[in-house]
Amino acid sequence: MRTHQITLLAVGAAGLEPLYPEAGAPWQPSALYAATHSEAGVGRLGTLLERVGKSVLTVPDAYVTTTVDVSPWAGVKWAAVLAHQGEVARERPLPGILARLPESERNEIIGTESFTRLTPGPVAGDPSRLLA
């Protein structure tokens, strides 16, 4: 949550020249996206979490503006999760739940990322692309 707050502040500050003059010319990002889960996209993950008394925070499907297939990077993503060994060793945290799944099932769950565009305005070109 703190990372989210800091990111929002940084995006706003990027265009304020007097704030950090040593950082160079001000610029404003053309888009800002937040990672999320759609109600329909939770799928198997929701069932796995329910078994341990947890749930996934979701948004209505209409709020998801972009979905990205990250399956080519599933191995790298999983290696990053495994770096949190304490979470992987426990049964209730998501890394521990995923660690007990067959690789094919785990890759299916971690192979897609969904985002909600937070910045207003039209999306140039393909609205499913992250870069506007």
Side-chain angles (χ1 to χ4, degrees), residues 81-96:
V81 172
L82 288 176
H84 301 277
Q85 293 175 3
E87 295 291 300
V88 173
R90 295 171 46 214
E91 288 186 25
R92 288 194 73 228
L94 181 57

Side-chain angles (χ1 to χ4, degrees), residues 15-83:
L16 303 175
E17 185 172 11
L19 198 54
Y20 298 103
E22 71 280 2
W27 63 277
Q28 198 62 55
S30 60
L32 176 63
Y33 292 83
T36 191
H37 296 283
S38 69
E39 291 171 346
V42 171
R44 181 149 163 67
L45 178 59
T47 304
L48 290 170
L49 289 174
E50 285 173 7
R51 290 182 190 163
V52 294
K54 292 181 151 190
S55 63
V56 180
L57 297 175
T58 62
V59 299
D61 296 350
Y63 286 30
V64 175
T65 56
T66 305
T67 301
V68 180
D69 175 8
V70 296
S71 58
W73 300 276
V76 174
K77 187 175 176 179
W78 184 240
V81 172
L82 288 176

